[in-house]
Amino acid sequence: QVQLQESGPGLVKPSETLSLTCTVSGGSISSYYWNWIRQPAGKGLEWIGRIYSTGSANYNPSLKSRVTMSIDTSKNQFSLNLSSVTAADTAVYYCARSVDSSSSSSQYWGQGTLVIVSS
Amino acid sequence: EIVLTQSPGTLSLSPGERATLSCRASQSVSSSYLAWYQQKPGQAPRLLIYGASSRATGIPDRFSGSGSGTDFTLTISRLEPEDFAVYYCQQYGSSPSSNFGGGTKVEIK
């Protein structure tokens, strides 16, 4: 059974960089899309971006200037960096795996990690 | 950017009733790239439907998806108590981007 687990600081200061890692177990990180999605409290889902196992990434245009994703296939991990954060970036951040190698619909999800941006 | 509009915002129904949820796109979406999710409070979303009409693994057959172009529908044929939740549609065809609709809450009447 594929499992994903987000890790990283739960509190980030304004203007700093939010860094999260997702560790994948129970399956290979190869040949899938790996997504980051976030959800502010009481609000809807926002797609942040995705990275393929080859390292090719696509980002939400509204966040593109601040987002970088990377993948480490040797560790079965992928990561999210979001720079110059503000209070508006406070949210639960989810990592997720695509159904297959051709889509970004997300079948397997981490439990989510709450990141608060505050001084 | 494709905008997804879900309606209604809230659907009040009783167990056993049929639920019909709508997702309308501002531009045509490839049917291969439309998904539906269910989310309960405090939980991660759960994939129900992908490719507009394919049920994900383990999803009961009371959930079905249909539609094409700009109009897509999620139907729950007979609501079970565990189906009361928020539902989101997602398009991922306008590569290289993706986005979600605003959600429909299905609540107990």
Side-chain angles (χ1 to χ4, degrees):
Chain A
Q1 175 74 348
V2 176
Q3 294 186 317
L4 292 83
Q5 179 68 58
E6 305 91 349
S7 59
L11 180 64
V12 181
K13 290 182 167 55
S15 79
E16 295 190 344
T17 296
L18 178 161
S19 295
L20 296 174
T21 295
C22 184
T23 301
V24 181
S25 59
S28 173
I29 203 167
S30 298
S31 302
Y32 291 99
Y33 282 105
W34 302 92
N35 293 272
W36 287 100
I37 295 134
R38 69 180 183 179
Q39 185 172 36
K43 297 188 177 181
L45 301 166
E46 181 178 30
W47 182 78
I48 300 171
R50 69 179 186 181
I51 187 165
Y52 194 63
S53 51
T54 58
S56 174
N58 305 117
Y59 305 133
N60 185 323
S62 68
L63 298 170
K64 188 174 182 178
S65 63
R66 299 194 291 130
V67 172
T68 304
M69 294 183 184
S70 60
I71 192 164
D72 187 336
T73 55
S74 67
K75 294 182 178 180
N76 256 27
Q77 294 178 332
F78 62 105
S79 298
L80 167 70
N81 281 347
L82 180 65
S83 64
S84 305
V85 297
T86 69
D89 295 309
T90 294
V92 174
Y93 286 74
Y94 295 101
C95 59
R97 197 205 83 176
S98 65
V99 169
D100 54 37
S101 61
S102 63
S103 79
S104 277
S105 59
S106 295
Q107 182 167 26
Y108 296 100
W109 293 67
Q111 65 186 20
T113 187
L114 174 62
V115 178
I116 297 172
V117 178
S118 176
S119 55
Chain B
E1 177 190 344
I2 296 178
V3 176
L4 299 179
T5 302
Q6 292 189 240
S7 62
T10 302
L11 197 51
S12 298
L13 294 169
S14 301
E17 290 193 294
R18 182 183 186 91
T20 304
L21 287 66
S22 171
C23 177
R24 179 161 292 176
S26 59
Q27 305 172 40
S28 184
V29 173
S30 167
S31 295
S32 300
Y33 303 125
L34 194 288
W36 289 93
Y37 299 84
Q38 176 194 69
Q39 188 179 33
K40 297 179 181 179
Q43 296 184 16
R46 173 194 182 196
L47 179 65
L48 300 174
I49 302 288
Y50 65 98
S53 60
S54 298
R55 268 188 301 275
T57 304
I59 301 303
D61 60 7
R62 65 180 180 273
F63 291 93
S64 63
S66 63
S68 63
T70 59
D71 290 297
F72 297 87
T73 300
L74 174 70
T75 301
I76 311 171
S77 59
R78 293 176 313 279
L79 283 164
E80 298 287 340
E82 62 268 27
D83 298 337
F84 291 92
V86 179
Y87 293 82
Y88 295 95
C89 59
Q90 179 200 20
Q91 69 82 20
Y92 45 95
S94 62
S95 293
S97 189
S98 175
N99 57 296
F100 292 88
T104 290
K105 181 179 181 180
V106 178
E107 65 175 21
I108 299 176
K109 186 174 181 180

